[in-house]
């Protein structure tokens, strides 16, 4: 009957919406987290006198127990320094932050030589510069805020994170340049940025850092952005909850109409000695079949749409708003399987309510009325 087809369609649309919402919501979170992790680590160890983009007060690497940092969930360890700089352009100037960095784990040579620079695509487009161009920066340090140190660089790379708050400020350079600017020795650094594969065994890191240094996670360093992406969790859970409720109500309606249409059939079964529970099982099994049928079709449709987006980036986004260039997709099959199980269990439990009508039907009355 049409009501059965409508119920199956509601299950299909529900699971498509839930799978897409969950994959996109978690995909955006994962994508932004990876961008921050690759460019500024997941946490930074620095001096209490420093702020987000200025590390004028160095830390002494000899005071850290770096052997404790050799744990499996640490995938990157870098010495860094953030220096405020001025980029003169014509009759005006622009405030930037020079980030000098050096990988402490890999033995590969640095990608940037001491006079090389990596600027963002946003900066390059705004200032009409390209790879191979020269760039002059004026450095100011805490020890000498009145007379700048002038350095000339050559642009070697152009990067693009899509995060305007980051791309509009940061230029990357060699850590040795930072050491010269700040007059630091080899055991000094503005901070150590740590990239993590997981947040386990962090107590080893805390034990390795003296109390006069602070450990700051990205969620605290970039609170506004992380608070924004955390909203995706509540939105995804709200959509999942509403879709399950709507699909469950449609299934209740379909089963109730089916029971009322099959009153004579129910009366015959009861007259032949069938119990209420056995008759209810017939309709519950039929309802479960409709739910699974809708889930199978809905999953196939959603997987096809998500796969196309994942491979070809069909739907694009404004990176100045969403921090990504296209809709990211996180195909986490464990989450999808758990979602399907929750839909099956919730919908099946909701089907128990209309199935109770079976026990209220009198076989004599139903057979006469039919």
């Amino acid at each position: 009957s049409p009501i059965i087809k409508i119920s199956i369609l509601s299950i299909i649309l529900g699971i498509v919406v839930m799978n897409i919402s969950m994959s996109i919501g978690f995909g955006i979170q994962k994508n932004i987290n990876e961008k921050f992790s690759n460019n500024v680590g997941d946490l930074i160890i620095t001096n209490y006198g420093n702020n987000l983009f200025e590390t004028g007060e160095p830390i002494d690497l000899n005071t850290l127990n770096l052997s404790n940092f050799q744990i499996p969930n640490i995938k990157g360890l870098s010495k860094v320094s953030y220096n405020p700089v001025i980029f003169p352009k014509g009759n005006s100037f622009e405030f930037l932050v020079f980030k000098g960095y050096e990988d402490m784990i890999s033995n590969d040579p640095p990608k940037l030589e001491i006079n090389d620079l990596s600027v963002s695509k946003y900066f390059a487009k705004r200032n009409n510069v390209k790879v191979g161009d020269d760039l002059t920066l004026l450095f100011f340090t805490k020890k000498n805020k009145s007379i700048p140190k002038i350095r000339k660089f050559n642009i070697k790379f152009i990067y693009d994170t899509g995060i305007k708050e980051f791309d509009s400020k940061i230029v990357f350079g060699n850590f040795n340049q930072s050491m010269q600017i700040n007059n630091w020795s080899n055991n000094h650094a503005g901070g150590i940025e740590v990239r993590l594969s997981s947040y386990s065994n962090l107590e080893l890191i805390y034990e390795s850092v003296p109390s006069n240094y602070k450990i700051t996670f990205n969620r605290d360093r970039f609170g506004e952005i992380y608070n924004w992406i955390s909203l995706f969790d509540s939105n995804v859970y709200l959509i999942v909850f509403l879709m399950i409720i709507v699909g469950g109500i449609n299934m209740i309606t379909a089963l109730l109409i089916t029971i009322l249409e099959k009153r004579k059939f129910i009366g015959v079964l009861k007259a032949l000695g069938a119990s209420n529970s056995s008759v209810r099982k017939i309709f519950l099994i039929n309802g479960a079949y409709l739910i699974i049928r809708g889930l199978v079709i809905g999953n196939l449709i959603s997987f096809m749409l998500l796969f196309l987006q994942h491979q070809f980036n069909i739907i694009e986004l404004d990176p100045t708003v969403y921090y990504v260039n296209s809709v990211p997709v996180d195909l986490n099959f464990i989450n999808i399987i758990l979602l399907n199980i929750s839909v099956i269990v919730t919908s099946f439990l909701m089907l128990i309510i209309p199935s109770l009508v079976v026990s209220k039907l009198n076989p004599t009355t139903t057979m006469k009325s039919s």
Side-chain angles (χ1 to χ4, degrees), residues 6 12 49 73 77-78 80 90 95 101 106 108 120 129 133 161 182 186 203 216 226 235 254 268 272 274 309 337 355:
I6 292 173
I12 294 173
N73 60 311
L77 203 65
S78 301
V80 297
F95 290 101
Y101 70 96
S106 174
D108 297 335
S120 69
V129 295
D133 288 353
T161 68
N182 295 293
N186 290 331
E203 63 276 2
T216 310
Y226 275 84
N235 291 338
V268 171
L272 293 174
Q309 176 62 27
I337 291 171
S355 69

Side-chain angles (χ1 to χ4, degrees), residues 12 16 20 295-307:
I12 294 173
V16 168
I20 291 178
L295 288 178
V296 170
I297 298 173
N299 279 307
L300 289 175
I301 294 173
S302 58
F303 288 159
M304 181 182 66
L305 295 175
L306 291 170
F307 177 78

Side-chain angles (χ1 to χ4, degrees), residues 6 80 153 169 270:
I6 292 173
V80 297
F153 296 92
K169 294 180 180 178
K270 285 190 174 184

Side-chain angles (χ1 to χ4, degrees), residues 119-134:
V119 302
S120 69
K121 182 179 178 181
Y122 175 87
F123 175 87
K125 184 177 180 180
R126 188 175 61 182
N127 293 285
N128 194 27
V129 295
K130 60 185 183 300
V131 173
D133 288 353
D134 292 331

